[in-house]
Amino acid sequence: MDGSPNDRVDTSVAHPARRYNYWLGGKDHFAADRASGDAIEAAMPSIRTMALENRRFLGRAARLIAERGVRQFLDIGTGIPAPGNTHEVVQAVDASSKIVYVDNDPIVLSHARALLTSAPAGTVAYLDADLRDPRSILDHADLKATLDLSEPVGLLLIAVLHFVRDDEDVQGIVGTLLEALPSGSYVAATHATWEYLPAEAIAKLSAANPDGRFTARDGADFAALFGGLEMVEPGLASVAHWHADAEPQPRPAVEDVACNGFVARVP
């Protein structure tokens, strides 16, 4: 890609990774990200809880996949680095694990290169690419140099698919990624849903989404994108409740988190 990645930074437009960083209490965001985040929080006051619980789900899901023997991971939509990054979780299980991070925000790229440091026995790579073009990810030279797609892979799609609209062929994107995974691979994915929210909150959230970039999907539509996979118990569930016995109790209400997640095996 020509030029510095920072040449592509448009601070006047909110970006999901920077807005998520704002909700998590980070410092890597701009006025547009804060304004967008505040508008969403006004419609859904528990949005910061949702962001935190989604992050906790990532750690639990990645650990489970690593404990099942997977030693290479593809994390698409990684976001700005924060404690509990994927490589930290899985390399704690096996230090030789290999991780490829993917995001399309130049600020994420610069932070990832500076902060995502692998354990000496493992490997971490970062791709500046977009989920909406899955072949650009799968065919990337750095991915091929890091991961062996003939061996099981843990594919992580955490809080990213709700930024792919139906008219962008979300089913085709997911299908392309799944076709590249050999048997024994695992997928961990989360997706925001409005199915538990009152009509008033949905109307406010819709108003805070003027470009239509965000697409909420209910649990049934989300799960349908991954038909044919073998769900790990308990199947699709709120990210706040999935394998969360060791998390701080009591767990947040499903309505306050409004995000579903699952882990599934590729047969």
Side-chain angles (χ1 to χ4, degrees):
M1 190 170 293
D2 295 335
S4 166
N6 287 329
D7 293 342
R8 294 190 286 115
V9 175
D10 184 351
T11 62
S12 68
V13 177
H15 188 281
R18 300 194 302 263
R19 184 171 56 216
Y20 193 69
N21 176 264
Y22 172 55
W23 287 331
L24 288 175
K27 300 178 180 178
D28 301 298
H29 41 75
F30 298 102
D33 307 305
R34 295 188 290 274
S36 174
D38 289 344
I40 295 172
E41 188 172 12
M44 185 179 173
S46 61
I47 191 66
R48 293 175 189 266
T49 299
M50 176 183 178
L52 179 60
E53 290 300 329
N54 194 72
R55 185 76 182 177
R56 286 173 167 165
F57 172 93
L58 164 63
R60 300 194 304 272
R63 185 177 303 107
L64 181 146
I65 295 171
E67 289 174 345
R68 292 193 171 199
V70 175
R71 296 293 177 258
Q72 46 183 8
F73 291 79
L74 176 58
D75 184 341
I76 302 178
T78 181
I80 294 170
N85 295 296
T86 299
H87 74 283
E88 295 168 333
V89 174
V90 302
Q91 288 183 345
V93 176
D94 188 317
S96 68
S97 297
K98 300 177 179 180
I99 300 90
V100 172
Y101 289 109
V102 181
D103 210 294
N104 68 341
D105 181 9
I107 289 179
V108 175
L109 173 65
S110 63
H111 282 276
R113 286 175 170 167
L115 298 175
L116 299 183
T117 304
S118 174
T123 305
V124 169
Y126 186 90
L127 308 188
D128 182 17
D130 195 316
L131 172 62
R132 289 168 289 183
D133 184 5
R135 290 268 32 124
S136 72
I137 297 172
L138 297 169
D139 296 337
H140 199 289
D142 290 346
L143 182 143
K144 292 182 176 180
T146 307
L147 305 182
D148 178 359
L149 295 184
S150 70
E151 296 292 332
V153 174
L155 172 63
L156 307 180
L157 296 167
I158 305 299
V160 64
L161 285 170
H162 46 233
F163 296 113
V164 181
R165 300 191 305 262
D166 290 336
D167 64 1
E168 293 172 319
D169 191 20
V170 63
Q171 183 68 77
I173 290 168
V174 171
T176 297
L177 292 170
L178 296 183
E179 287 172 7
L181 302 179
S183 176
S185 295
Y186 283 83
V187 178
T190 70
H191 200 299
T193 179
W194 291 348
E195 63 192 302
Y196 308 113
L197 301 180
E200 180 182 359
I202 294 173
K204 290 179 179 178
L205 287 167
S206 297
N209 183 39
D211 62 356
R213 169 49 55 203
F214 177 85
T215 302
R217 297 182 177 93
D218 64 24
D221 289 340
F222 174 38
L225 296 174
F226 296 88
L229 299 188
E230 300 171 351
M231 288 281 184
V232 173
E233 291 295 331
L236 185 139
S238 168
V239 295
H241 297 166
W242 187 92
H243 285 273
D245 290 346
E247 297 286 7
Q249 303 293 327
R251 298 276 69 218
V254 170
E255 295 82 359
D256 289 338
V257 176
C259 187
N260 291 314
F262 69 84
V263 172
R265 183 181 182 276
V266 178

